[in-house]
Amino acid sequence: MSKKITVVGTGYVGLIAAIGFADFGNQVIGVDIDKEKVDKLNAGIPPIYEHGIHDYLERNLKSKRLRFSSDIASSIIESEVIFIGVGTPPKDNGDVDLSQVENVINEICKNLNDYKVIVTKSTVPVGTNKWIKEYIKEKTNSDNFDVVSNPEFLREGKAITDFFHPDRVIIGYESEKSKEILKDVYRSLYLVETPFVWCNYETAELIKYANNAFLATKITFINQIANLSETIGADVNEVAKALGMDGRINSKFLHAGPGYGGSCFPKDTKALVQIGAKYGVNMSLVKEVINSNELQKIRMVKKLENVLGDLKDKCIAVLGLAFKSETDDMRESPAISIINELIKNNCKIKAHDPKALNNAKKLFGDKIIYCKDSLEAVKDADALILVTEWNEYRSLDLNNIAKLVKQKIIIDTRNMLSPKKVKELGFIYEGVGRK
Ligand code: UDX
């Protein structure tokens, strides 16, 4: 049976969930306090760049199963299931800022007119769902509601595909009634036999952090192996390929590079360390992953310095600003640390990215030069540093670039180019872990 759902928050998590649940056949209201965003969404304009989102948004708006509103009270009153998909950014000390979640909970308390299931999709520290349950009970003097934890595992750029084809769905729950309702909400996935993990709140909450911290650790591990490969004369691509052939390890998330970034791994690793500290458990491995990842970003600049010598007043072309390809998102992108380090060294920076230039302008203002394509960026550059693995950079016009640059130096932080071909054109080439 289709359900009446409100999803609060129309960022990456909330918006994809709202569209996805509507596509499953539910009646969905996506709520956001940003009226301008709501108007755009109702007009079929997605506020984020995400593959396939436009078609799905349009299709579900047309079917009238989906609409957007900034009226949180009436949306809650109308709905049986409330998904919380608002931001949970890190505070300066690494703790999670739960103020947006708290605001939504307070709205729910004020508008709890009938039985409702409140589902946390935002990533929240262990203990939050239990707290939400106790808080609502105390505030409303009612237990005509259930709380469910349903963490999200979407990758940016592949969020739509991930939503419709998840490896598994995690549901932390306490009552059978809420379990049956969640089965209805996810009915389409249930019918195609997606694995569902039914567990308690704490388990669901920890799965999310453990998952992201494990992947961040896997990347950091291969980055350290890459650094060792450089020194001893091994090729990290071959090492990673062989590791990946071991079914127990698998080949994913073994691409050496400039360090992980994005909205999840940096935030969730830090939060896991804080959660450990709160309960007196030393998450020393995760702490070291965080440190090592910071060093990896700066190591990319050191590579440049090793080849170029003093960086002062050098002109550097930075190709790629987003934290990974297929997104305009620059949150915690290695490009930020790299550019800041170059600015510290008084370099002139000419940057290009197929999608992230607008976000870069918000971060760097007039401190760097923004270029419409890679050729404009490399003109008169002393070196070129590739930071994001955009497909268009795999087929760079190297013949032309060789004529435009001042010095033929390429730092390929994603191992995208063929060192042989690049060197044939007279470039000095530095990859990661492939001496
Ligand atoms: C991630 C998780 O995959 C997702 O499940 C979670 O819910 C949110 O965080 P996302 O941040 O979109 O998704 O990016 P992802 O594709 O996982 O990449 C994260 C970072 O790791 C990027 O900076 C990427 O470039 C880097 N990375 C990834 C590597 O450096 N090497 C790899 O092998 C894989």
Side-chain angles (χ1 to χ4, degrees), residues 279-364:
Y279 293 95
V281 179
N282 186 0
M283 304 303 289
S284 56
L285 178 60
V286 186
K287 273 186 208 163
E288 192 42 44
V289 166
I290 297 167
N291 289 340
S292 178
N293 193 59
E294 287 308 310
L295 294 175
Q296 188 69 8
K297 300 181 206 171
I298 301 307
R299 193 180 162 94
M300 302 301 115
V301 180
K302 294 270 178 290
K303 277 176 181 291
L304 201 56
E305 212 169 5
N306 287 344
V307 192
L308 202 52
D310 189 2
L311 293 177
K312 192 166 180 290
D313 298 328
K314 294 289 186 327
C315 174
I316 312 292
V318 178
L319 297 192
L321 301 167
F323 80 94
K324 64 174 190 178
S325 62
E326 305 305 322
T327 176
D328 64 350
D329 196 341
M330 280 191 70
R331 280 178 288 178
E332 303 276 347
S333 172
I336 299 176
S337 306
I338 292 171
I339 290 176
N340 280 335
E341 196 64 17
L342 292 173
I343 291 175
K344 245 197 257 165
N345 280 283
N346 274 322
C347 293
K348 175 179 172 187
I349 295 153
K350 294 173 79 188
H352 172 258
D353 188 283
K355 296 281 177 212
L357 283 182
N358 281 339
N359 283 334
K361 283 176 190 162
K362 289 180 210 155
L363 282 171
F364 294 112

Coordinates of all heavy atoms in Angstrom, one line a residue, residues 279-364:
Y279 N 32.6 7.4 24.4 CA 32.3 6.1 25.1 C 33.6 5.5 25.7 O 33.6 4.3 26.1 CB 31.5 5.1 24.2 CG 30.1 5.6 24.0 CD1 29.9 6.3 22.8 CD2 29.1 5.4 24.9 CE1 28.6 6.8 22.5 CE2 27.8 5.9 24.6 CZ 27.6 6.6 23.5 OH 26.3 7.1 23.2
G280 N 34.7 6.2 25.6 CA 36.0 5.8 26.2 C 36.7 4.7 25.3 O 37.4 3.9 25.9
V281 N 36.4 4.7 24.0 CA 37.1 3.7 23.2 C 37.9 4.4 22.2 O 37.5 5.3 21.4 CB 36.0 2.8 22.4 CG1 36.7 1.8 21.5 CG2 35.1 2.1 23.4
N282 N 39.2 4.0 22.1 CA 40.2 4.7 21.3 C 40.1 4.2 19.8 O 40.5 3.1 19.5 CB 41.6 4.5 21.8 CG 42.6 5.3 21.1 OD1 42.3 6.1 20.2 ND2 43.9 5.2 21.5
M283 N 39.6 5.1 19.0 CA 39.5 4.7 17.5 C 40.8 5.1 16.9 O 40.9 5.9 15.9 CB 38.3 5.4 16.9 CG 37.0 5.2 17.6 SD 36.6 3.4 17.7 CE 36.3 3.0 16.0
S284 N 41.9 4.5 17.3 CA 43.3 5.0 16.9 C 43.5 4.8 15.4 O 44.1 5.6 14.7 CB 44.3 4.3 17.7 OG 44.2 2.9 17.5
L285 N 42.9 3.7 14.8 CA 43.1 3.5 13.4 C 42.5 4.6 12.6 O 43.1 5.1 11.7 CB 42.5 2.1 13.1 CG 42.6 1.7 11.6 CD1 44.0 1.6 11.1 CD2 41.9 0.3 11.4
V286 N 41.2 4.9 12.9 CA 40.5 5.9 12.2 C 41.2 7.3 12.3 O 41.3 8.1 11.4 CB 39.0 6.0 12.6 CG1 38.2 7.0 11.7 CG2 38.4 4.6 12.6
K287 N 41.7 7.6 13.6 CA 42.5 8.8 13.8 C 43.6 8.9 12.8 O 43.9 10.0 12.2 CB 43.1 8.8 15.2 CG 42.1 9.4 16.2 CD 42.9 9.5 17.6 CE 42.0 9.3 18.7 NZ 42.6 9.0 20.0
E288 N 44.3 7.8 12.6 CA 45.5 7.8 11.8 C 45.1 8.0 10.3 O 45.8 8.6 9.5 CB 46.3 6.5 12.0 CG 47.7 6.5 11.4 CD 48.5 7.9 11.5 OE1 48.4 8.4 12.7 OE2 49.0 8.3 10.5
V289 N 43.9 7.4 10.0 CA 43.4 7.6 8.6 C 43.2 9.1 8.3 O 43.6 9.6 7.2 CB 42.1 6.8 8.4 CG1 41.4 7.2 7.1 CG2 42.4 5.3 8.4
I290 N 42.6 9.8 9.3 CA 42.4 11.2 9.1 C 43.7 11.9 8.9 O 43.8 12.8 7.9 CB 41.6 11.8 10.3 CG1 40.2 11.1 10.4 CG2 41.4 13.3 10.2 CD1 39.5 11.3 11.7
N291 N 44.7 11.7 9.8 CA 46.0 12.4 9.7 C 46.6 12.1 8.3 O 47.1 13.0 7.6 CB 46.9 11.9 10.8 CG 46.5 12.4 12.1 OD1 45.8 13.3 12.2 ND2 47.0 11.7 13.2
S292 N 46.7 10.8 8.0 CA 47.4 10.4 6.8 C 46.7 11.0 5.5 O 47.4 11.4 4.6 CB 47.3 8.8 6.7 OG 47.9 8.4 5.5
N293 N 45.4 11.1 5.6 CA 44.7 11.7 4.4 C 45.1 13.2 4.2 O 45.2 13.6 3.1 CB 43.2 11.5 4.6 CG 42.4 11.8 3.3 OD1 42.7 11.1 2.3 ND2 41.6 12.8 3.3
E294 N 45.2 13.9 5.3 CA 45.6 15.3 5.2 C 47.0 15.4 4.6 O 47.3 16.2 3.7 CB 45.6 15.9 6.6 CG 44.3 16.2 7.2 CD 43.3 17.0 6.3 OE1 43.8 18.0 5.8 OE2 42.2 16.6 6.0
L295 N 47.9 14.5 5.1 CA 49.3 14.5 4.5 C 49.3 14.2 3.1 O 50.1 14.7 2.3 CB 50.2 13.5 5.3 CG 50.4 13.9 6.8 CD1 51.2 12.7 7.5 CD2 51.1 15.2 7.0
Q296 N 48.4 13.3 2.6 CA 48.4 12.9 1.2 C 48.1 14.1 0.3 O 48.7 14.2 -0.8 CB 47.3 11.8 1.0 CG 47.4 11.1 -0.3 CD 48.6 10.3 -0.6 OE1 49.4 10.0 0.3 NE2 48.8 9.8 -1.8
K297 N 47.2 14.9 0.7 CA 46.8 16.1 -0.1 C 48.0 17.0 -0.3 O 48.4 17.4 -1.4 CB 45.7 16.9 0.6 CG 44.4 16.1 0.8 CD 43.4 17.0 1.4 CE 42.4 16.3 2.3 NZ 41.5 17.2 3.0
I298 N 48.7 17.3 0.8 CA 49.9 18.1 0.8 C 51.1 17.5 0.0 O 51.8 18.2 -0.7 CB 50.3 18.5 2.2 CG1 49.2 19.2 2.9 CG2 51.6 19.4 2.2 CD1 48.6 20.4 2.2
R299 N 51.1 16.2 0.1 CA 52.2 15.4 -0.6 C 52.1 15.7 -2.1 O 53.1 15.7 -2.8 CB 52.0 13.9 -0.4 CG 53.1 13.1 -0.8 CD 52.8 11.6 -0.5 NE 53.7 10.7 -1.2 CZ 54.8 10.3 -0.7 NH1 55.2 10.5 0.5 NH2 55.6 9.5 -1.5
M300 N 50.9 16.0 -2.7 CA 50.8 16.3 -4.1 C 51.5 17.6 -4.4 O 52.1 17.7 -5.5 CB 49.3 16.4 -4.5 CG 48.5 15.2 -4.2 SD 49.1 13.7 -5.0 CE 49.6 12.7 -3.6
V301 N 51.5 18.6 -3.5 CA 52.2 19.8 -3.7 C 53.7 19.6 -3.6 O 54.5 20.2 -4.4 CB 51.7 20.9 -2.8 CG1 52.5 22.2 -3.0 CG2 50.2 21.1 -2.9
K302 N 54.1 18.7 -2.7 CA 55.5 18.4 -2.5 C 56.1 17.8 -3.8 O 57.2 18.0 -4.2 CB 55.7 17.4 -1.4 CG 55.4 18.0 0.0 CD 56.6 18.6 0.6 CE 56.3 19.2 2.0 NZ 55.5 20.4 2.0
K303 N 55.2 16.9 -4.5 CA 55.7 16.3 -5.7 C 56.0 17.4 -6.8 O 57.0 17.3 -7.5 CB 54.5 15.5 -6.3 CG 54.4 14.1 -5.8 CD 53.1 13.4 -6.4 CE 52.9 12.1 -5.8 NZ 53.9 11.1 -6.3
L304 N 55.1 18.4 -6.8 CA 55.3 19.5 -7.7 C 56.6 20.2 -7.4 O 57.4 20.5 -8.3 CB 54.1 20.5 -7.5 CG 53.8 21.5 -8.5 CD1 53.5 20.8 -9.8 CD2 52.5 22.2 -8.1
E305 N 56.9 20.5 -6.1 CA 58.1 21.2 -5.6 C 59.3 20.4 -6.0 O 60.3 20.9 -6.4 CB 58.0 21.4 -4.1 CG 58.6 22.6 -3.7 CD 58.3 22.9 -2.2 OE1 57.6 22.1 -1.5 OE2 58.7 23.9 -1.7
N306 N 59.2 19.0 -5.9 CA 60.4 18.2 -6.2 C 60.8 18.3 -7.6 O 62.0 18.3 -7.9 CB 60.1 16.7 -5.9 CG 60.0 16.4 -4.4 OD1 60.4 17.2 -3.6 ND2 59.4 15.3 -4.1
V307 N 59.9 18.5 -8.5 CA 60.2 18.6 -9.9 C 60.5 20.1 -10.3 O 61.4 20.3 -11.1 CB 59.0 18.1 -10.8 CG1 59.5 18.0 -12.2 CG2 58.4 16.9 -10.3
L308 N 59.7 21.0 -9.7 CA 59.8 22.4 -10.2 C 60.8 23.2 -9.4 O 61.2 24.3 -9.8 CB 58.4 23.0 -10.1 CG 58.0 24.2 -10.9 CD1 58.3 24.0 -12.4 CD2 56.5 24.4 -10.7
G309 N 61.2 22.7 -8.2 CA 62.0 23.6 -7.4 C 61.1 24.6 -6.6 O 60.0 24.3 -6.4
D310 N 61.7 25.8 -6.3 CA 61.0 26.8 -5.6 C 59.7 27.1 -6.3 O 59.7 27.4 -7.5 CB 61.9 28.0 -5.5 CG 61.3 29.0 -4.5 OD1 60.2 28.8 -3.9 OD2 61.9 30.1 -4.4
L311 N 58.6 27.1 -5.6 CA 57.3 27.3 -6.3 C 56.9 28.8 -6.4 O 56.0 29.2 -7.1 CB 56.1 26.6 -5.4 CG 56.2 25.1 -5.4 CD1 55.1 24.6 -4.5 CD2 56.0 24.5 -6.8
K312 N 57.7 29.6 -5.7 CA 57.4 31.1 -5.7 C 57.2 31.7 -7.1 O 58.0 31.5 -7.9 CB 58.5 31.8 -4.9 CG 58.1 33.2 -4.5 CD 59.1 33.8 -3.5 CE 58.7 35.2 -3.2 NZ 59.0 36.2 -4.2
D313 N 56.1 32.3 -7.3 CA 55.7 33.0 -8.5 C 55.6 32.1 -9.7 O 55.5 32.6 -10.9 CB 56.8 34.1 -8.9 CG 56.9 35.2 -7.8 OD1 55.8 35.5 -7.2 OD2 58.0 35.7 -7.5
K314 N 55.5 30.8 -9.5 CA 55.3 29.9 -10.6 C 53.8 29.9 -11.0 O 52.9 30.1 -10.2 CB 55.7 28.5 -10.2 CG 57.2 28.3 -10.0 CD 58.0 28.4 -11.3 CE 59.4 28.2 -11.3 NZ 60.2 28.5 -10.1
C315 N 53.5 29.6 -12.3 CA 52.1 29.6 -12.7 C 51.7 28.1 -12.9 O 52.3 27.3 -13.6 CB 52.0 30.2 -14.1 SG 50.4 30.1 -14.9
I316 N 50.7 27.7 -12.1 CA 50.3 26.3 -12.0 C 48.9 26.1 -12.6 O 47.9 26.8 -12.1 CB 50.3 25.8 -10.6 CG1 51.6 26.1 -9.9 CG2 50.0 24.3 -10.5 CD1 52.9 25.5 -10.4
A317 N 48.7 25.2 -13.5 CA 47.4 24.9 -14.1 C 46.8 23.8 -13.2 O 47.4 22.7 -13.1 CB 47.5 24.5 -15.5
V318 N 45.7 24.0 -12.6 CA 45.0 23.0 -11.8 C 43.8 22.5 -12.6 O 42.8 23.2 -12.8 CB 44.6 23.6 -10.4 CG1 43.8 22.5 -9.6 CG2 45.7 24.1 -9.6
L319 N 43.9 21.2 -13.0 CA 42.7 20.7 -13.7 C 41.9 19.8 -12.8 O 42.4 18.7 -12.4 CB 43.2 19.9 -14.9 CG 44.0 20.7 -16.0 CD1 44.1 19.9 -17.3 CD2 43.2 22.0 -16.4
G320 N 40.7 20.2 -12.5 CA 39.8 19.4 -11.7 C 39.8 20.0 -10.3 O 40.8 20.2 -9.6
L321 N 38.5 20.4 -9.8 CA 38.4 21.1 -8.5 C 37.4 20.3 -7.7 O 37.5 20.3 -6.4 CB 37.8 22.5 -8.7 CG 38.8 23.4 -9.6 CD1 38.0 24.7 -10.0 CD2 40.0 23.7 -8.8
A322 N 36.4 19.6 -8.3 CA 35.4 18.8 -7.5 C 36.1 17.7 -6.8 O 37.2 17.3 -7.2 CB 34.4 18.3 -8.5
F323 N 35.5 17.2 -5.7 CA 36.2 16.2 -4.9 C 36.3 14.9 -5.6 O 37.1 14.0 -5.2 CB 35.5 16.0 -3.5 CG 34.3 15.2 -3.5 CD1 34.4 13.9 -3.2 CD2 33.0 15.8 -3.7 CE1 33.2 13.1 -3.1 CE2 31.9 15.0 -3.7 CZ 32.0 13.6 -3.4
K324 N 35.5 14.7 -6.6 CA 35.6 13.5 -7.5 C 34.8 13.9 -8.8 O 34.2 15.0 -8.9 CB 34.9 12.3 -6.9 CG 33.5 12.4 -6.7 CD 32.9 11.1 -6.2 CE 31.4 11.2 -6.2 NZ 30.7 9.9 -5.7
S325 N 34.9 13.1 -9.8 CA 34.2 13.4 -11.1 C 32.7 13.3 -11.0 O 32.2 12.7 -10.0 CB 34.8 12.6 -12.2 OG 34.5 11.2 -12.0
E326 N 32.0 13.8 -12.0 CA 30.5 13.7 -12.1 C 29.8 14.4 -11.0 O 28.7 14.1 -10.6 CB 30.1 12.2 -12.1 CG 30.7 11.4 -13.2 CD 30.5 11.9 -14.6 OE1 29.4 12.5 -14.9 OE2 31.5 11.9 -15.4
T327 N 30.4 15.4 -10.4 CA 29.7 16.2 -9.4 C 30.3 17.6 -9.4 O 31.5 17.8 -9.9 CB 29.9 15.7 -7.9 OG1 29.2 16.6 -7.0 CG2 31.3 15.5 -7.5
D328 N 29.5 18.6 -9.0 CA 30.1 20.0 -8.9 C 30.5 20.3 -7.4 O 30.8 21.4 -7.1 CB 29.0 21.0 -9.4 CG 27.8 21.1 -8.5 OD1 27.6 20.2 -7.6 OD2 27.0 22.0 -8.7
D329 N 30.4 19.3 -6.6 CA 30.6 19.5 -5.2 C 32.1 19.6 -4.8 O 32.9 18.8 -5.3 CB 30.1 18.2 -4.4 CG 29.9 18.5 -2.9 OD1 30.5 19.4 -2.4 OD2 29.1 17.7 -2.3
M330 N 32.5 20.6 -4.1 CA 33.9 20.8 -3.7 C 34.1 20.6 -2.3 O 35.2 20.8 -1.8 CB 34.3 22.2 -4.1 CG 34.7 22.4 -5.6 SD 35.5 23.9 -5.9 CE 37.1 23.7 -5.1
R331 N 33.1 20.1 -1.5 CA 33.3 20.0 -0.1 C 34.5 19.1 0.2 O 34.5 17.9 -0.3 CB 32.0 19.5 0.6 CG 31.0 20.6 0.8 CD 29.7 20.1 1.4 NE 28.9 19.3 0.4 CZ 27.8 18.7 0.7 NH1 27.3 18.7 1.9 NH2 27.2 18.0 -0.2
E332 N 35.4 19.6 1.0 CA 36.6 18.8 1.4 C 37.4 18.3 0.3 O 38.1 17.3 0.4 CB 36.2 17.7 2.4 CG 35.4 18.1 3.6 CD 36.3 18.5 4.8 OE1 37.6 18.3 4.7 OE2 35.8 19.2 5.7
S333 N 37.3 18.9 -0.9 CA 38.0 18.4 -2.1 C 39.5 18.6 -1.8 O 39.9 19.6 -1.3 CB 37.6 19.2 -3.3 OG 38.4 18.9 -4.4
P334 N 40.3 17.6 -2.2 CA 41.8 17.7 -2.1 C 42.2 19.0 -2.9 O 43.2 19.6 -2.5 CB 42.3 16.4 -2.8 CG 41.2 15.5 -2.7 CD 39.9 16.2 -2.7
A335 N 41.5 19.4 -3.9 CA 41.9 20.6 -4.7 C 42.0 21.8 -3.8 O 42.8 22.7 -4.0 CB 40.9 20.8 -5.8
I336 N 41.1 21.9 -2.7 CA 41.1 23.0 -1.8 C 42.5 23.1 -1.1 O 43.1 24.2 -1.1 CB 40.0 23.0 -0.8 CG1 38.6 23.0 -1.6 CG2 40.0 24.2 0.1 CD1 37.4 22.8 -0.6
S337 N 42.9 22.0 -0.5 CA 44.2 22.0 0.2 C 45.3 22.3 -0.7 O 46.3 23.0 -0.4 CB 44.4 20.6 0.9 OG 43.3 20.3 1.7
I338 N 45.3 21.7 -1.9 CA 46.3 21.9 -2.9 C 46.4 23.3 -3.3 O 47.5 23.9 -3.2 CB 46.1 20.9 -4.1 CG1 46.3 19.5 -3.6 CG2 47.1 21.3 -5.2 CD1 45.9 18.4 -4.7
I339 N 45.3 23.9 -3.6 CA 45.3 25.3 -4.0 C 45.7 26.2 -2.9 O 46.6 27.1 -3.1 CB 43.9 25.7 -4.6 CG1 43.7 25.0 -5.9 CG2 43.8 27.3 -4.7 CD1 42.3 25.3 -6.5
N340 N 45.2 26.0 -1.7 CA 45.7 26.8 -0.5 C 47.2 26.8 -0.3 O 47.8 27.8 0.0 CB 44.9 26.4 0.7 CG 43.5 27.0 0.8 OD1 43.2 28.0 0.2 ND2 42.6 26.3 1.5
E341 N 47.7 25.6 -0.5 CA 49.2 25.4 -0.3 C 49.9 26.2 -1.4 O 50.9 26.8 -1.1 CB 49.5 23.9 -0.3 CG 50.8 23.5 0.2 CD 51.0 23.8 1.7 OE1 50.1 24.0 2.4 OE2 52.2 23.8 2.1
L342 N 49.4 26.1 -2.6 CA 50.0 26.8 -3.7 C 49.9 28.3 -3.5 O 50.9 29.1 -3.8 CB 49.4 26.4 -5.1 CG 49.6 25.0 -5.5 CD1 48.8 24.7 -6.8 CD2 51.1 24.7 -5.8
I343 N 48.8 28.8 -3.0 CA 48.6 30.2 -2.7 C 49.6 30.7 -1.7 O 50.3 31.7 -1.8 CB 47.2 30.5 -2.3 CG1 46.2 30.3 -3.4 CG2 47.1 32.0 -1.7 CD1 44.7 30.5 -3.0
K344 N 49.8 29.8 -0.7 CA 50.8 30.1 0.4 C 52.2 30.3 -0.2 O 53.0 31.1 0.3 CB 50.8 28.9 1.4 CG 50.3 29.3 2.8 CD 50.8 28.2 3.8 CE 49.7 27.3 4.1 NZ 50.1 26.1 4.8
N345 N 52.4 29.6 -1.3 CA 53.7 29.6 -1.9 C 53.8 30.7 -3.0 O 54.7 30.7 -3.9 CB 54.1 28.3 -2.5 CG 54.6 27.3 -1.5 OD1 55.8 27.4 -1.0 ND2 53.8 26.4 -1.0
N346 N 52.8 31.6 -3.0 CA 52.8 32.7 -4.0 C 52.7 32.2 -5.4 O 53.2 32.9 -6.3 CB 54.0 33.6 -3.8 CG 53.7 34.6 -2.8 OD1 52.6 35.2 -2.7 ND2 54.8 34.9 -2.0
C347 N 52.0 31.1 -5.7 CA 51.9 30.7 -7.1 C 50.7 31.4 -7.7 O 49.8 31.9 -7.1 CB 51.5 29.2 -7.1 SG 52.9 28.2 -6.6
K348 N 50.8 31.5 -9.1 CA 49.6 32.0 -9.8 C 48.9 30.8 -10.3 O 49.5 29.8 -10.8 CB 50.2 32.8 -11.0 CG 49.1 33.2 -12.0 CD 49.7 34.0 -13.1 CE 48.7 34.3 -14.2 NZ 49.3 34.9 -15.4
I349 N 47.6 30.7 -10.0 CA 46.8 29.5 -10.2 C 45.8 29.7 -11.3 O 44.9 30.6 -11.2 CB 46.2 29.0 -8.9 CG1 47.3 28.6 -8.0 CG2 45.3 27.8 -9.2 CD1 46.9 28.7 -6.5
K350 N 45.8 28.9 -12.3 CA 44.8 28.9 -13.4 C 44.0 27.6 -13.3 O 44.6 26.5 -13.5 CB 45.5 29.1 -14.7 CG 46.2 30.4 -14.9 CD 47.0 30.5 -16.1 CE 46.1 30.8 -17.3 NZ 46.8 30.7 -18.6
A351 N 42.8 27.7 -12.9 CA 42.0 26.5 -12.6 C 40.9 26.2 -13.6 O 40.3 27.1 -14.2 CB 41.4 26.6 -11.2
H352 N 40.6 24.9 -13.9 CA 39.5 24.5 -14.7 C 38.8 23.3 -14.1 O 39.4 22.5 -13.4 CB 39.9 24.1 -16.1 CG 38.8 23.6 -16.9 ND1 38.7 22.2 -17.1 CD2 37.7 24.1 -17.5 CE1 37.6 22.0 -17.8 NE2 37.0 23.1 -18.0
D353 N 37.5 23.3 -14.2 CA 36.7 22.1 -13.8 C 35.4 22.2 -14.7 O 34.9 23.2 -14.9 CB 36.3 22.2 -12.4 CG 35.7 20.8 -11.9 OD1 34.5 20.6 -12.2 OD2 36.3 20.0 -11.3
P354 N 35.0 21.0 -15.2 CA 33.8 21.0 -16.1 C 32.5 21.5 -15.4 O 31.6 22.0 -16.0 CB 33.7 19.6 -16.6 CG 34.9 18.9 -16.2 CD 35.6 19.7 -15.1
K355 N 32.4 21.3 -14.1 CA 31.2 21.6 -13.4 C 31.4 22.5 -12.1 O 30.4 23.1 -11.7 CB 30.5 20.3 -12.9 CG 30.1 19.4 -14.0 CD 28.8 19.8 -14.6 CE 28.4 18.9 -15.8 NZ 27.7 19.6 -16.8
A356 N 32.5 22.5 -11.5 CA 32.7 23.1 -10.2 C 33.2 24.5 -10.1 O 33.4 25.1 -9.1 CB 33.6 22.2 -9.3
L357 N 33.3 25.2 -11.3 CA 33.8 26.5 -11.3 C 33.0 27.5 -10.4 O 33.6 28.3 -9.7 CB 34.0 27.1 -12.7 CG 35.1 26.5 -13.5 CD1 35.2 27.2 -14.9 CD2 36.5 26.7 -12.8
N358 N 31.7 27.4 -10.5 CA 30.9 28.3 -9.7 C 31.1 28.1 -8.2 O 31.3 29.1 -7.4 CB 29.4 28.2 -10.0 CG 29.0 28.8 -11.3 OD1 29.8 29.8 -11.7 ND2 28.0 28.4 -11.9
N359 N 31.2 26.9 -7.8 CA 31.5 26.6 -6.3 C 32.9 27.1 -6.0 O 33.1 27.6 -4.9 CB 31.3 25.1 -6.0 CG 29.9 24.8 -5.9 OD1 29.1 25.6 -5.6 ND2 29.6 23.5 -6.2
A360 N 33.9 26.9 -6.9 CA 35.2 27.4 -6.6 C 35.3 28.9 -6.5 O 36.0 29.4 -5.6 CB 36.1 27.0 -7.8
K361 N 34.5 29.6 -7.2 CA 34.5 31.1 -7.1 C 34.0 31.5 -5.7 O 34.5 32.5 -5.2 CB 33.6 31.7 -8.2 CG 34.2 31.7 -9.6 CD 33.3 32.2 -10.6 CE 33.9 31.9 -12.0 NZ 33.0 32.0 -13.1
K362 N 33.1 30.8 -5.2 CA 32.6 31.1 -3.8 C 33.7 30.9 -2.8 O 33.8 31.6 -1.8 CB 31.4 30.2 -3.4 CG 30.1 30.5 -4.2 CD 29.0 29.6 -3.7 CE 28.0 29.4 -4.9 NZ 27.3 28.1 -4.8
L363 N 34.6 29.9 -3.0 CA 35.7 29.6 -2.1 C 36.9 30.5 -2.2 O 37.5 30.9 -1.3 CB 36.1 28.2 -2.3 CG 35.2 27.1 -1.7 CD1 35.7 25.7 -2.2 CD2 35.3 27.1 -0.2
F364 N 37.3 30.7 -3.5 CA 38.6 31.4 -3.7 C 38.5 32.8 -4.2 O 39.5 33.5 -4.3 CB 39.4 30.6 -4.7 CG 39.8 29.2 -4.1 CD1 39.3 28.1 -4.7 CD2 40.7 29.1 -3.1 CE1 39.7 26.8 -4.1 CE2 41.1 27.9 -2.5 CZ 40.5 26.8 -3.1

